[in-house]
Amino acid sequence: MHLHKYEKIWLTFGLGSLALFLVIIGFAAFWKGTHPMSHIETIDPQNVEAHESFKPENLGLREVAEGKYTVNIVASAFNYDIGTDADGKPVKKIRVPKGSTVLFQITTKDVVHGFQVAGTNVNMMVEPGHVSRLETVMKNAGEFTVVCNEYCGIGHHQMFATVEVYE
């Protein structure tokens, strides 16, 4: 079989690109330990309160060290449960100082939800039976809206909260 010069060049380029891609994926998977999101912690979606982080008294913002915070959230039909305030009203605003490191831990009881803090790098898919985690540094001051960016039903547009980063 005769191959034209340009066909040989493109075949070499294609096979070389494939080999490079496989080397990079192998390096990331085996040497760096990068794994797909299926390796996240699992949880019983029917009993999320059994997990220490998602007990009603542990929901919301907690300072775990100087400048380090953890936010535990349970997403359910058209609501982010971030805990309650001293009056027993649902919390809809999280306040953290600028420059602090925040670990967002979130799970859901019912369907797939999204968790995005608009204007930051926080963007997660929240699946029943899994705990999604993302740690970030809140570098910019301001108010950022938390939205569900996965359609979760007819009240999807009512699912929001606010993160306030103050000076």
Side-chain angles (χ1 to χ4, degrees):
M1 179 167 95
H2 174 69
L3 292 176
H4 192 270
K5 178 175 92 172
Y6 292 126
E7 288 178 309
K8 289 179 186 177
I9 291 171
W10 277 110
L11 279 172
T12 303
F13 175 75
L15 290 174
S17 297
L18 179 62
L20 179 65
F21 173 74
L22 291 175
V23 167
I24 291 171
I25 292 295
F27 175 75
F30 298 111
W31 183 260
K32 290 290 192 180
T34 305
H35 298 289
M37 291 301 287
S38 63
H39 288 271
I40 58 179
E41 182 180 352
T42 58
I43 189 172
D44 178 12
Q46 303 302 317
N47 191 16
V48 296
E49 291 84 10
H51 192 284
E52 186 66 30
S53 297
F54 302 111
K55 290 183 177 181
E57 62 270 14
N58 293 334
L59 293 177
L61 181 69
R62 302 279 179 262
E63 186 171 15
V64 293
E66 182 69 31
K68 289 190 165 261
Y69 296 86
T70 299
V71 180
N72 298 321
I73 302 169
V74 175
S76 57
F78 323 129
N79 182 44
Y80 288 119
D81 188 356
I82 309 174
T84 56
D85 61 13
D87 299 330
K89 295 178 183 173
V91 173
K92 289 295 178 193
K93 182 182 271 193
I94 300 165
R95 296 187 76 232
V96 294
K98 181 179 174 183
S100 59
T101 301
V102 181
L103 171 65
F104 291 96
Q105 296 185 124
I106 185 166
T107 191
T108 180
K109 298 178 180 183
D110 48 18
V111 298
V112 174
H113 294 281
F115 183 82
Q116 179 181 9
V117 182
T120 70
N121 66 340
V122 178
N123 188 359
M124 294 183 280
M125 181 180 270
V126 185
E127 300 177 59
H130 295 277
V131 177
S132 297
R133 291 188 176 92
L134 192 135
E135 186 174 77
T136 188
V137 176
M138 304 306 275
K139 298 176 184 175
N140 300 320
E143 275 198 10
F144 303 95
T145 304
V146 176
V147 295
C148 177
N149 57 7
E150 292 286 334
Y151 183 73
C152 55
I154 197 154
H156 167 74
H157 64 283
Q158 298 171 347
M159 194 168 177
F160 62 91
T162 306
V163 174
E164 181 184 345
V165 181
Y166 60 91
E167 298 276 345

